[in-house]
Amino acid sequence: MLKEFREFALRGNVVDLAVAVILGAAFGRIVSSFVNDIVMPPIGLMVGGVDFATLFINLGSQPYATLKDAKAAGAPTINYGLFFQTIVDFLIIAFVIFLAVRQINRLKRPAAVPASPTRECPHCLTAIPLKATRCAHCTSDLAVATR
């Protein structure tokens, strides 16, 4: 069983997947920093100086001035500002992945379609070999196809 696992783990697809997961995690952190530190502050400024990371709904009975205070007290909260930031993160990552996949698909060449080894008889429409001079089905005389 250990030998099978080693063969599975060392296959090219598994190693490629592991590299993709690691790069994806690093890319996610970069995008999160971009959203939190660069995108959201100007958006918050445009909507009246709001810091989205501090927006929350307190579900507890005691009021709290900030999300940090509520978290420190262990109060239940709905952090809709952080949720909004996560949505922006997702949209940016999804758009970048869309652009990358679009470029990869553009670079791929369509697979060549192999030439058919047969042609149709013009009289009975039966498939016949390219070099045939007579149809095996209707026995019509045929010219040899030139390709």
Side-chain angles (χ1 to χ4, degrees), residues 123-144:
H123 303 287
C124 67
L125 303 177
T126 303
I128 56 172
L130 288 175
K131 293 183 180 180
T133 58
R134 184 175 294 269
C135 177
H137 185 72
C138 70
T139 67
S140 298
D141 285 324
L142 306 169
V144 176

Side-chain angles (χ1 to χ4, degrees), residues 1 8 10-11 26 31 34 37 39 51 65 76 82 90 93-94 110-111 116 119 126 137 140:
M1 187 161 93
F8 169 77
L10 295 178
R11 275 193 215 148
V31 170
F34 175 71
D37 302 330
V39 173
D51 181 10
L82 294 174
F90 170 77
I93 291 172
S116 174
R119 61 183 171 135
T126 303
H137 185 72
S140 298

Side-chain angles (χ1 to χ4, degrees), residues 30-128:
I30 291 170
V31 170
S32 293
S33 175
F34 175 71
V35 169
N36 296 337
D37 302 330
I38 296 173
V39 173
M40 295 309 287
I43 291 174
L45 185 63
M46 288 189 306
V47 295
V50 176
D51 181 10
F52 286 93
T54 62
L55 298 177
F56 71 102
I57 296 173
N58 181 13
L59 300 177
S61 58
Q62 186 176 4
Y64 297 99
T66 65
L67 177 60
K68 186 177 178 182
D69 294 341
K71 289 289 184 186
T77 60
I78 296 176
N79 306 323
Y80 65 91
L82 294 174
F83 180 71
F84 180 70
Q85 285 184 331
T86 303
I87 289 172
V88 173
D89 281 358
F90 170 77
L91 292 175
I92 290 173
I93 291 172
F95 183 69
V96 169
I97 289 173
F98 165 74
L99 292 177
V101 169
R102 188 171 156 211
Q103 276 303 102
I104 290 169
N105 287 339
R106 193 177 283 171
L107 295 175
K108 284 184 181 177
R109 294 184 183 155
V113 178
S116 174
T118 62
R119 61 183 171 135
E120 285 186 349
C121 172
H123 303 287
C124 67
L125 303 177
T126 303
I128 56 172

